Amino acid sequence: MSCWETVQAYGLRSLGIGERLLPREGYDLCQQFTLIGSGLIWNIYFGVLALAAGFFLAVGLALAKGSSRIWLRKPADWFVFVFRGSPLFIQFFLAYQLLVLLPKDGIQLPLGLFTLTIGTDWVTKAWAGALLVLFLNTAAYSAEIFLGALRSIPKGDLEAADAYGLTGWKKFRRIQWPTMLRLAWPAYTNEAIFLFHATTLVFFSGFPAFQQRGDALYYASYFAGKTFNPFVSYPIVAFYFICLTLILIWLFGRVNARLNRHVPSNARVRRARLLPQIVR
Amino acid sequence: MFAYCADPKSLEGLQWLSCYLTTGTHFSFYGSFLIVLVLLFVTAPVALAFGFGGAMAARSPAAPLRWLGKGYMAMVRGVPDIVFFLFFIIALDQGFEWLTHQVRCPDWIDPIRQGLEFRVCPQAKIPPNTAPQMVHQIYNFGLAVVTFAIVFGAFAANVLAGAMSAVPRAQLETGEAYGMTQRQVFRRIMVPQMWIYALPGLSNLWLILIKATPLLFILGIQDAVYWARELGGFKSQTYSYPHPDWRLWYFLGLLIFYLLMTRISEIVLDRITRRLSHGQATAAGEAQRKGAVA
């Protein structure tokens, strides 16, 4: 089998497209790179969706946690404590056991004239169940970051807002929100990186890999188990993840530059040296 | 355990529960929490030592040593820690066996990697094949500890390197002005003062370490997660204590255990921070001084 045929057979194996059986022989570099790379699709799927959805819940949680109303603050406090205080590994196990308890043939919702049946079997699948856990988990961690940023908004900014008569939503939207994001961004970048790393846990805990559709680490450990040689497949995962991390750092750096565009920077503005003469 | 537990099928209610919770396997379950604690208290100092070495190497004037230290610190940032766990547990095992193989069987001609197998001479097996089960378990646990220490040492190196450069330059210059050598400045001025700067990072690391302990299960140690799965699973009538799938409750127990550990650690670390801030030229130290005067 040439390398291109391997890519065709296993490039989308993690989604269930292509060859049904995992490779049983050879285990060459091409096979390993292809299959582990195809598993990476799941890591990106979990990371991107959990991060995108978690961002909004995190902002809400941070505001609730910083609120002076006790009925808002206490639940948010507990939510953050439970998700930050316990291992993600255990959270996966627990969530799986909880979701399995849902009735097999769906929940019947009597709506007067007809009954609406909501299927529940899909939530025990990794793509939904694990995503839910990762979403809640990253929301809790990010909420703590955003709360810290909210608390370190310069006093002068808030006083200025008061002086201009900004209150409520307007004050939040125009003063607190941009500053909070700007202050929280470096820490949030870290959280994003670690969330992507955490996605490797999905198939190692409660959630079974349906038809051997797993993530990058799942396939890497498959190869390591078959060849009893950790020195090839794990460095491949490491390579993929370093690339992923670099891309993340670059993306978040762009956003950071945009968030800080009004802040006077110490970096010297680069001018093309030759340009003046040409223009003149 | 109790006398009335002789015939568990005839028991009911609280009595049944008291017998159920004191079976031999349940004591293994309780013991596995001890394993978690042992791992924590053995790994933490070893990881700190690894971190200290890494941080010192990263600040070394010799370039190769500096690259080594920086590379060690950088490796955990880009790659998920679980990859390292899975990698090191096999790599260390094979590495040790390879080394002993070189020493004990120098005239062994067969290649060690035969296709898909890793084969060393029988004398080089660690632990020896004839060793009792207990030795194998301890050896595996030791491998897990070293693995944890390597990974968390890299995190700690990051924190300690930051703390070392956070000690005010003026303090070090004062030391130099008194004619201390670089080594003396490092030992007498920098190391005693760096801890307060390292503490926030180290406490974070401790909490992360606590939350990483269930990964022992992945490394094949019979830890709390292993027993929770074993004991919680569905038990048919052939068992002395039949029950439906109770894994949810066991995992809930584990969750509460970890939440408690986190909470207690937070309280203790808070206290240490307050103690270490005493007399420091930081905002917290200044606040303490003012409080004491007033």
Side-chain angles (χ1 to χ4, degrees):
Chain A
M1 216 195 228
S2 78
C3 190
W4 176 237
E5 281 166 2
T6 308
V7 172
Q8 280 179 328
Y10 292 113
L12 295 174
R13 175 62 181 77
S14 64
L15 305 179
I17 302 170
E19 203 76 17
R20 222 170 73 77
L21 291 172
L22 292 187
R24 305 250 152 202
E25 54 183 8
Y27 308 120
D28 52 5
L29 275 180
C30 179
Q31 268 181 7
Q32 302 208 10
F33 262 106
T34 309
L35 205 53
I36 293 172
S38 114
L40 201 68
I41 296 170
W42 278 116
N43 295 106
I44 295 172
Y45 162 84
F46 284 126
V48 168
L49 287 189
L51 208 59
F55 177 79
F56 295 99
L57 182 59
V59 173
L61 276 171
L63 289 176
K65 240 189 132 187
S67 157
S68 54
R69 294 189 195 107
I70 195 155
W71 54 269
L72 263 177
R73 198 177 63 229
K74 277 291 152 192
D77 271 350
W78 273 101
F79 179 86
V80 171
F81 174 63
V82 167
F83 276 95
R84 286 186 77 225
S86 61
L88 180 61
F89 196 61
I90 305 279
Q91 287 167 24
F92 276 130
F93 272 122
L94 199 64
Y96 183 70
Q97 298 299 337
L98 264 177
L99 293 173
V100 166
L101 281 187
L102 292 175
K104 278 263 163 19
D105 41 345
I107 299 168
Q108 310 284 335
L109 274 186
L111 291 175
L113 296 174
F114 59 96
T115 49
L116 184 69
T117 309
I118 303 171
T120 49
D121 51 339
W122 54 274
V123 289
T124 56
K125 300 273 163 52
W127 67 265
L131 185 62
L132 181 72
V133 176
L134 283 169
F135 156 65
L136 296 176
N137 190 279
T138 185
Y141 277 91
S142 313
E144 201 61 33
I145 293 172
F146 288 140
L147 179 67
L150 268 181
R151 283 195 180 141
S152 39
I153 292 174
K155 199 171 68 174
D157 287 18
L158 298 175
E159 281 167 1
D162 290 338
Y164 276 95
L166 293 176
T167 48
W169 169 248
K170 219 167 198 179
K171 180 177 163 187
F172 175 73
R173 175 70 195 82
R174 304 180 73 161
I175 310 292
Q176 288 172 303
W177 165 256
T179 313
M180 178 194 84
L181 271 192
R182 184 167 65 81
L183 294 177
W185 208 254
Y188 190 61
T189 309
N190 255 337
E191 163 59 21
I193 292 172
F194 283 117
L195 175 72
F196 271 87
H197 290 184
T199 57
T200 50
L201 265 178
V202 169
F203 292 103
F204 273 92
S205 47
F207 291 91
F210 176 64
Q211 288 180 352
Q212 292 187 313
R213 298 178 195 173
D215 75 325
L217 190 61
Y218 177 83
Y219 290 127
S221 71
Y222 170 82
F223 282 119
K226 286 283 176 201
T227 59
F228 202 53
N229 180 359
F231 297 99
V232 178
S233 58
Y234 291 132
I236 292 175
V237 186
F239 165 76
Y240 275 126
F241 265 93
I242 287 171
C243 293
L244 196 62
T245 307
L246 289 179
I247 293 170
L248 265 182
I249 289 175
W250 179 76
L251 272 179
F252 275 72
R254 289 295 297 271
V255 176
N256 194 36
R258 172 146 181 93
L259 287 173
N260 284 300
R261 67 193 182 281
H262 62 288
V263 179
S265 79
N266 294 326
R268 232 187 301 155
V269 181
R270 270 215 219 139
R271 278 200 201 92
R273 290 234 176 103
L274 287 174
L275 212 59
Q277 274 94 359
I278 300 167
V279 173
R280 242 189 289 180
Chain B
M1 174 107 181
F2 304 111
Y4 56 80
C5 292
D7 182 19
K9 302 260 180 193
S10 64
L11 297 172
E12 265 181 43
L14 270 182
Q15 247 184 356
W16 185 88
L17 198 67
S18 69
C19 288
Y20 174 67
L21 289 179
T22 51
T23 55
T25 42
H26 268 88
F27 277 109
S28 308
F29 177 50
Y30 307 141
S32 64
F33 285 100
L34 222 59
I35 292 185
V36 170
L37 293 181
V38 169
L39 176 88
L40 278 176
F41 287 106
V42 175
T43 308
V46 181
L48 205 58
F50 270 65
F52 203 84
M56 268 168 65
R59 295 171 56 87
S60 146
L65 204 60
R66 197 165 59 233
W67 294 331
L68 195 75
K70 290 231 162 107
Y72 177 51
M73 276 159 55
M75 83 177 192
V76 286
R77 200 176 144 82
V79 183
D81 48 1
I82 178 174
V83 175
F84 285 108
F85 288 134
L86 291 174
F87 172 76
F88 277 123
I89 203 85
I90 312 180
L92 284 175
D93 190 27
Q94 293 189 352
F96 288 141
E97 290 197 341
W98 183 82
L99 278 180
T100 43
H101 176 88
Q102 299 297 329
V103 173
R104 290 194 193 157
C105 320
D107 28 278
W108 187 268
I109 33 170
D110 293 345
I112 292 183
R113 268 196 199 292
Q114 298 178 6
L116 301 180
E117 280 179 78
F118 181 84
R119 218 176 264 161
V120 290
C121 64
Q123 294 90 337
K125 278 268 172 218
I126 310 178
N129 285 331
T130 51
Q133 189 62 28
M134 193 68 189
V135 177
H136 281 271
Q137 278 177 2
I138 290 174
Y139 177 68
N140 284 343
F141 185 73
L143 277 185
V145 168
V146 175
T147 308
F148 266 77
I150 291 175
V151 173
F152 278 88
F155 283 118
N158 255 322
V159 172
L160 292 180
M164 282 179 187
S165 45
V167 175
R169 182 81 196 103
Q171 297 274 349
L172 308 182
E173 274 167 5
T174 312
E176 282 159 14
Y178 275 93
M180 292 186 192
T181 61
Q182 280 303 317
R183 190 165 296 186
Q184 282 172 329
V185 168
F186 179 76
R187 215 180 51 234
R188 296 187 189 164
I189 313 277
M190 192 193 271
V191 173
Q193 288 195 58
M194 66 180 227
W195 296 111
I196 184 64
Y197 300 102
L199 200 65
L202 289 183
S203 14
N204 238 338
L205 213 52
W206 170 254
L207 294 179
I208 296 176
L209 180 63
I210 291 177
K211 286 182 273 176
T213 48
L215 296 179
L216 274 179
F217 169 69
I218 290 179
L219 305 185
I221 310 285
Q222 298 191 348
D223 74 330
V225 178
Y226 170 86
W227 284 111
R229 275 164 64 112
E230 282 291 296
L231 295 171
F234 170 74
K235 296 280 182 302
S236 65
Q237 288 295 329
T238 50
Y239 288 85
S240 337
Y241 298 93
H243 61 75
D245 192 342
W246 277 353
R247 276 180 292 185
L248 182 64
W249 305 114
Y250 279 89
F251 282 122
L252 212 57
L254 277 185
L255 190 83
I256 290 167
F257 167 73
Y258 278 107
L259 286 178
L260 274 178
M261 289 283 293
T262 312
R263 192 81 204 106
I264 294 169
S265 302
E266 275 176 356
I267 292 169
V268 172
L269 288 169
D270 241 27
R271 268 209 199 143
I272 298 177
T273 311
R274 232 174 303 144
R275 245 195 107 74
L276 278 187
S277 300
H278 191 77
Q280 288 282 351
T282 58
E286 184 65 12
Q288 270 185 5
R289 192 182 64 83
K290 280 194 183 136
V293 169

